[in-house]
């Protein structure tokens, strides 16, 4: 009769359990990269931020006479208004832009600007209140036409735009502060730059492109004999 070695049942069960675990671990399915973001795969599309490049202004802030193009006469008019009657230029800009619904008229923006300008000149000797009233138009123009701000333009000019990384909200707060600083430091030039940009991009609301039909009277008629 053959002799067989007796193996304890507990040891056999332990070895079998270890082998099963190692087998399952070896043949375990790995989650695909196309699965959701929980598996550590590619991030969802909503998490990928797209960097939008801003456009440059049509003319610089110190380009008083604009460009030598079809808007040259309009640029000269803007320069004269910015130097002699900035209240008129501000009212024209707001009326053309329509940035304040229900109040975007020439009179309702020109008169408050004039009052603030007179107060600043009377009490402080310079126009210090009106720039705080008019700088918001520059922010609206940037948003509407996707134009670069003063801070972005300055960083680009000194070559450090790639090193500056800010959140969208922080960047917008910085650009709004730069808009205010631009108007306070060089208010007439900022008004003129905004007016040149608007006249190149938007027609005046008072001008219509409807054709005008001119009726000419008939010529003299004579009766035949």
């Amino acid at each position: 009769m053959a002799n067989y070695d007796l193996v304890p049942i507990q040891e056999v069960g332990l070895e079998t359990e270890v082998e099963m675990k190692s087998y399952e671990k070896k043949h375990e399915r790995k989650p695909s990269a196309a699965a959701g973001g929980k598996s550590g795969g590619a991030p969802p599309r909503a998490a990928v931020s797209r960097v939008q490049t801003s456009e440059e202004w049509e003319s610089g802030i110190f380009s008083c006479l604009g460009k030598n193009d079809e808007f040259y006469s309009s640029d000269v008019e803007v320069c004269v208004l910015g130097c002699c009657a900035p209240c008129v230029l501000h009212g024209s800009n707001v009326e053309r832009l329509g940035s304040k619904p229900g109040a975007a008229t020439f009179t309702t923006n020109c008169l408050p600007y004039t009052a603030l300008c007179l107060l600043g000149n009377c009490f402080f000797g310079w126009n210090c209140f009106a720039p705080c009233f008019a700088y918001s138009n520059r922010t609206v123009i940037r948003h509407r036409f996707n134009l670069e701000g003063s801070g972005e333009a300055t960083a680009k000019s000194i070559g450090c735009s790639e090193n500056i990384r800010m959140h969208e909200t922080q960047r917008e707060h910085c650009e709004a502060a730069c808009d205010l600083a631009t108007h306070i430091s060089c208010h007439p030039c900022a008004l003129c730059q905004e007016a040149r940009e608007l006249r190149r991009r938007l027609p005046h609301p008072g001008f219509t492109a409807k054709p005008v039909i001119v009726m000419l009277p008939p010529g003299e008629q004579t009766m035949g004999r």
Side-chain angles (χ1 to χ4, degrees), residues 76-191:
V76 174
E77 177 187 356
V78 165
C79 183
V80 173
L81 288 176
C83 295
C84 302
C87 56
V88 177
L89 186 60
H90 169 71
S92 176
N93 289 348
V94 177
E95 187 176 25
R96 189 183 295 265
L97 182 61
S99 59
K100 299 178 181 178
T105 60
F106 179 83
T107 305
T108 55
N109 287 276
C110 181
L111 294 180
Y113 182 95
T114 304
L116 292 174
C117 182
L118 292 176
L119 286 175
N121 288 323
C122 290
F123 288 99
F124 298 97
W126 65 291
N127 187 10
C128 57
F129 293 139
C132 302
F133 174 72
Y135 88 95
S136 58
N137 292 332
R138 190 174 187 86
T139 305
V140 175
I141 293 173
R142 286 194 301 102
H143 291 170
R144 185 163 183 176
F145 303 114
N146 192 25
L147 300 175
E148 62 182 9
S150 301
E152 183 180 355
T154 303
K156 187 185 296 183
S157 62
I158 61 180
C160 64
S161 58
E162 297 295 333
N163 299 328
I164 299 177
R165 302 294 182 185
M166 289 189 296
H167 192 267
E168 185 68 22
T169 305
Q170 295 178 351
R171 188 180 68 85
E172 183 54 38
H173 289 166
C174 178
E175 292 296 346
C178 291
D179 292 340
L180 177 60
T182 301
H183 269 268
I184 291 177
S185 60
C186 198
H187 179 59
C189 294
L191 275 180

Side-chain angles (χ1 to χ4, degrees), residues 51-72:
V51 179
Q52 296 181 354
T53 57
S54 302
E55 299 180 5
E56 295 182 356
W57 293 70
E58 291 289 338
S59 58
I61 191 171
F62 298 115
S63 301
C64 299
L65 299 180
K67 298 180 179 179
N68 189 14
D69 54 6
E70 65 271 16
F71 294 95
Y72 180 76

Side-chain angles (χ1 to χ4, degrees), residues 190-208:
L191 275 180
C192 292
Q193 184 188 25
E194 296 163 9
R196 291 193 298 267
E197 193 74 25
L198 289 175
R199 295 192 180 201
R200 281 169 167 78
R201 293 180 180 268
L202 294 176
H204 195 275
F207 299 154
T208 58

